[in-house]
C-alpha cells in the first residue's frame, strides 16, 4: 500500500488524478451528463497509457463525477448525477432560503467523510477478501456471476421481469462472433460485420453517451442559476454535530455499495430514510434540514468505496460504472478478481490509493472552485452536446480504426434510448453484456473439469450458497407482494 502511494506521488500521475477529478466534478455538475458517461467516453484515451495511469484517471473521474452532482442538486433542484437526487430534498429548500453556501459546504464535507470511511473498508477488507476468493473454482465464479446478474436485475428500478429481460438481452448481444473454445463463428448470419462481435467500447459509448445525448437534445434548456458569492461556511463544531450521522451514513453507503446493482442513489435514499426515522425532528426533513443533506451526500460517496471492493477482489461489478472499470482493466490485459492482487499488485493497491487521494483532491477542488464550476451549467447545451458527440465518434473509431464500430455505437445508442423509453433499465443490459463472456468461460471450464456432469456443482458449498441466494432473490419480490396483499386484506 505504501508503495502504491509512493507511485501515485509521481507528478505525472498526480496531474492525471487532478485532471480526472476536475473533469468528473465538471461533468457531474451538469444535469444529464453522468460519471458513467464520462468514464465510457474517456476509455479510448487510455489505450496508450500505462495501466496505473489509466486507472488513476478513471478513479478520479468516478469520485469527482459523483461529488459534483451536489452543486446543481442544491442550486437548481436538478441532480447532476442520479446519486444526488436525495440532496435536492433539503438542499434546494436551503438554497431558496438564502443558505446555498451552507448547503454546499455541508455536502462537500459529507462527501469527503463518506469517501474516507469507505476507503478504510476498501483498504482493510480487500486484500483479505481477495485471499479468500482464491479458494474459488470455476463453479463458484459461474454462480457468483449468476448471483450478481440476478441481484442486479431484481434490485434495479424495482421491476424483476424488466431487469431480467435487460440482463438476458445484454448477454445475447455478447454472443455473436468467434467462439474461442471451438474456433467457430456463431450468430454472425454469414456476415463479416459480426465476425468479431460487438466491441465493448462502442457498446458502452453508444448505450450511455449517445442515448444520453439524444435525450438531452430533446430536453428543455436549463434555467438561470444563482451561484454562491461568499465563503463556504463550515466549522469544526459541524464535525461534532453531524459526526454520528456521517459515520452511520458511511456504513450504510459502504454496505449498499457492496451489493451488486444498487448504487449510490439507493444508498443515499436508504441513509436519508434511516436518518429521518432516527431523528428527533423527522418533520423537518424535506424542508431544508441539514442532516438530510449530510445523510445523502455521505452515503452516495461511501457507496463508491463499497462497490470497488467486489470489483477488485472478485471481478464483480457493483454498478454500471464498475462494469466499465472492469472493461478498462481487461483492455489493458489485466484480470479483475483475486488474481489481481497476486499478478498485478501495483494495480490493485493503486486503485485503493487513487481512491483515497481522489477524495482529497475532490475536497480541494470543490472547496476552492465551486462558484466557477456552478457557472458551467450556463454553457449552451447545443455546443456542449456537439463536442461530446464528436468525442463519442472519435473514441469509438479509435478503438480499432474501424467505421463499423461507429455504426455499432450509433446502433446501441438507439437500443439504449429504446430500452429506457419502455422503462427497461440500462444497467442490467450493460452488465449482462460485460459479464456474459466471464460466465460462459467459467461454465465451460466447470463442465470440462467435471466431464460435463452438472451435479458436480452440488459438491461445491460456496457455489450452492450463491445459487440459493440467486433463487431467494428471484423468489422474494413475488413473496413480498403476496405478504403485503395478505396484510392489506387483514
Amino acid at each position: 500500500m505504501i508503495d502504491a502511494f509512493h507511485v501515485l506521488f509521481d507528478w505525472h500521475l498526480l496531474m492525471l488524478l487532478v485532471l480526472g477529478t476536475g473533469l468528473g466534478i465538471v461533468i457531474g455538475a451538469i444535469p444529464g451528463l453522468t460519471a458513467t458517461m464520462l468514464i465510457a467516453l474517456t476509455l479510448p484515451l487510455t489505450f496508450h497509457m500505462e495501466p496505473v495511469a489509466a486507472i488513476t484517471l478513471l478513479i478520479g473521474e468516478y469520485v469527482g463525477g459523483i461529488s459534483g452532482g451536489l452543486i446543481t442538486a442544491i442550486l437548481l433542484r436538478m441532480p447532476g448525477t442520479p446519486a444526488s437526487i436525495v440532496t435536492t430534498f433539503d438542499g434546494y429548500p436551503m438554497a431558496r432560503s438564502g443558505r446555498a453556501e451552507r448547503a454546499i459546504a455541508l455536502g462537500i464535507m459529507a462527501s469527503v467523510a463518506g469517501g474516507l470511511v469507505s476507503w478504510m473498508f476498501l483498504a482493510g477488507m480487500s486484500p483479505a477478501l481477495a485471499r479468500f476468493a482464491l479458494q474459488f473454482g470455476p463453479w463458484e465464479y459461474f454462480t457468483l456471476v449468476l448471483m450478481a446478474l440476478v441481484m442486479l436485475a431484481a434490485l434495479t428500478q424495482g421491476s424483476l421481469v424488466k431487469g431480467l429481460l435487460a440482463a438476458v438481452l445484454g448477454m445475447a448481444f455478447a454472443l455473436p462472433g468467434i467462439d474461442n473454445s471451438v474456433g467457430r463463428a456463431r450468430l454472425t448470419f454469414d456476415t463479416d460485420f459480426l465476425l468479431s462481435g460487438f466491441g465493448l467500447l462502442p457498446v458502452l459509448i453508444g448505450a450511455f453517451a449517445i442515448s444520453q445525448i439524444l435525450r438531452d437534445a430533446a430536453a428543455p434548456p436549463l434555467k438561470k442559476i444563482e451561484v454562491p458569492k461568499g465563503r463556504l461556511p463550515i466549522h469544526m463544531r459541524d464535525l461534532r454535530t453531524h459526526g454520528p450521522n456521517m459515520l452511520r451514513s458511511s456504513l450504510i453507503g459502504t454496505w449498499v455499495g457492496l451489493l451488486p446493482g444498487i448504487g449510490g442513489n439507493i444508498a443515499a435514499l436508504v441513509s436519508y430514510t434511516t436518518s429521518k426515522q432516527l431523528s428527533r425532528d423527522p418533520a423537518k426533513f424535506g424542508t431544508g434540514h441539514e442532516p438530510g443533506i449530510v445523510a445523502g451526500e455521505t452515503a452516495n460517496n461511501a457507496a463508491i468505496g463499497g462497490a470497488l471492493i467486489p470489483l477488485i477482489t472478485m471481478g464483480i461489478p457493483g454498478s454500471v460504472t464498475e462494469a466499465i472499470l472492469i472493461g478498462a482493466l481487461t483492455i489493458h490485459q489485466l484480470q479483475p478478481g483475486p488474481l489481481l492482487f497476486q499478478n498485478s499488485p501495483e494495480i490493485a493497491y493503486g486503485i485503493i490509493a487513487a481512491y483515497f487521494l481522489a477524495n482529497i483532491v475532490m475536497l480541494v477542488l470543490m472547496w476552492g472552485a465551486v462558484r466557477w464550476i456552478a457557472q458551467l451549467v450556463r454553457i449552451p447545451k447545443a455546443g456542449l452536446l456537439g463536442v461530446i458527440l464528436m468525442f463519442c465518434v472519435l473514441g469509438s473509431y479509435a478503438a480499432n480504426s474501424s467505421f463499423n464500430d461507429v455504426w455499432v455505437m450509433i446502433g446501441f445508442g438507439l437500443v439504449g434510448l429504446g430500452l429506457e423509453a419502455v422503462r427497461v433499465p440500462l444497467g442490467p443490459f450493460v452488465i449482462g453484456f460485460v459479464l456474459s463472456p466471464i460466465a460462459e468461460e467459467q461454465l465451460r471450464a466447470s463442465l470440462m473439469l467435471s466431464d460435463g456432469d452438472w451435479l458436480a456443482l452440488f459438491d461445491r458449498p460456496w457455489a450452492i450458497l450463491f445459487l440459493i441466494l440467486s433463487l431467494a432473490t428471484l423468489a422474494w419480490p413475488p413473496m413480498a407482494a403476496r405478504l403485503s396483499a395478505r396484510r392489506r386484506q387483514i
Side-chain angles (χ1 to χ4, degrees):
M1 181 68 75
I2 293 172
D3 290 340
F5 276 107
H6 181 71
V7 169
L8 281 181
F9 278 115
D10 176 85
W11 71 269
H12 171 64
L13 293 178
L14 276 180
M15 287 295 290
L16 282 175
L17 190 67
V18 172
L19 176 67
T21 310
L23 271 175
I25 294 170
V26 167
I27 295 298
I30 300 175
L33 306 184
T34 63
T36 306
M37 176 182 176
L38 174 65
I39 293 172
L41 208 55
T42 311
L43 211 50
L45 303 178
T46 67
F47 281 170
H48 302 294
M49 290 183 181
E50 290 294 320
V52 174
I55 208 70
T56 299
L57 177 68
L58 298 178
I59 291 288
E61 289 180 351
Y62 192 7
V63 173
I66 297 297
S67 307
L70 72 91
I71 297 173
T72 41
I74 290 170
L75 298 179
L76 284 178
R77 205 184 184 184
M78 294 180 66
T81 175
S84 296
I85 288 171
V86 167
T87 309
T88 62
F89 297 171
D90 289 281
Y92 187 64
M94 281 185 74
R96 290 199 65 182
S97 63
R99 295 188 293 152
E101 288 92 346
R102 174 69 175 166
I104 290 175
L106 283 172
I108 296 173
M109 178 185 75
S111 297
V112 176
L116 294 183
V117 171
S118 70
W119 174 82
M120 291 184 211
F121 284 94
L122 175 66
M125 291 173 61
S126 296
L129 268 178
R131 280 193 296 274
F132 172 71
L134 281 172
Q135 302 171 24
F136 290 179
W139 280 118
E140 283 81 1
Y141 273 109
F142 170 68
T143 48
L144 189 61
V145 169
L146 202 64
M147 185 185 75
L149 281 172
V150 169
M151 289 183 76
L152 182 73
L155 297 172
T156 303
Q157 296 188 8
S159 172
L160 175 63
V161 175
K162 287 184 177 179
L164 284 174
L165 177 67
V168 170
L169 198 60
M171 295 178 83
F173 275 114
L175 291 177
I178 300 292
D179 184 346
N180 290 326
S181 59
V182 293
R184 290 180 187 167
R186 67 181 179 190
L187 297 175
T188 58
F189 305 100
D190 295 326
T191 61
D192 293 338
F193 184 82
L194 289 174
L195 204 56
S196 55
F198 297 113
L200 176 64
L201 205 57
V203 170
L204 291 176
I205 293 177
F208 284 100
I210 296 296
S211 63
Q212 189 69 56
I213 288 171
L214 293 173
R215 279 195 301 276
D216 285 352
L222 298 174
K223 60 186 177 182
K224 188 178 178 182
I225 182 172
E226 296 295 331
V227 300
K229 296 181 177 63
R231 290 181 59 190
L232 295 179
I234 202 81
H235 310 284
M236 285 303 292
R237 65 174 177 272
D238 289 316
L239 284 175
R240 292 195 299 274
T241 306
H242 296 290
N245 187 0
M246 287 192 288
L247 181 60
R248 180 179 61 244
S249 301
S250 298
L251 296 176
I252 291 173
T254 305
W255 169 247
V256 173
L258 273 165
L259 304 174
I262 301 184
N265 48 348
I266 303 296
L269 192 59
V270 172
S271 173
Y272 183 87
T273 308
T274 306
S275 294
K276 185 177 178 180
Q277 288 171 341
L278 296 177
S279 172
R280 294 176 180 175
D281 301 305
K284 288 185 178 177
F285 279 76
T287 62
H289 197 37
E290 292 185 357
I293 297 175
V294 171
E297 280 303 316
T298 305
N300 66 18
N301 272 64
I304 303 175
L308 287 174
I309 294 172
L311 186 150
I312 60 174
T313 57
M314 288 176 275
I316 300 297
S319 70
V320 176
T321 313
E322 276 80 32
I324 300 176
L325 290 176
I326 284 182
L329 291 172
T330 52
I331 283 171
H332 285 278
Q333 311 298 320
L334 296 165
Q335 184 180 1
L339 290 176
L340 194 65
F341 278 91
Q342 203 171 65
N343 300 336
S344 308
E346 74 283 3
I347 300 297
Y349 288 107
I351 291 173
I352 298 172
Y355 178 59
F356 176 84
L357 291 179
N359 276 283
I360 305 300
V361 171
M362 178 268 290
L363 169 66
V364 174
L365 291 181
M366 286 190 69
W367 202 266
V370 66
R371 67 196 64 179
W372 292 284
I373 294 168
Q375 299 278 3
L376 289 166
V377 296
R378 293 180 174 176
I379 295 174
K381 189 193 285 183
L384 193 65
L385 295 180
V387 171
I388 293 172
L389 180 61
M390 183 186 72
F391 278 111
C392 289
V393 174
L394 288 175
S396 296
Y397 177 79
N400 297 305
S401 302
S402 167
F403 277 108
N404 285 346
D405 285 340
V406 178
W407 290 115
V408 170
M409 174 197 76
I410 294 171
F412 276 90
L414 296 174
V415 169
L417 194 66
L419 288 176
E420 293 213 326
V422 294
R423 299 185 180 280
V424 173
L426 267 182
F429 173 78
V430 171
I431 294 184
F433 184 85
V434 171
L435 289 184
S436 178
I438 301 172
E440 183 181 357
E441 180 188 346
Q442 298 299 332
L443 180 60
R444 284 183 186 276
S446 306
L447 292 174
M448 286 174 69
L449 286 172
S450 63
D451 292 327
D453 183 8
W454 284 84
L455 295 177
L457 184 150
F458 297 99
D459 294 332
R460 311 288 299 189
W462 285 109
I464 295 172
L465 175 66
F466 296 145
L467 203 59
I468 290 172
L469 288 174
S470 304
L471 294 172
T473 306
L474 279 174
W476 175 247
M479 283 175 60
R482 189 168 297 179
L483 287 172
S484 177
R486 186 172 296 176
R487 282 198 202 101
R488 283 197 297 269
Q489 287 174 356
I490 294 172

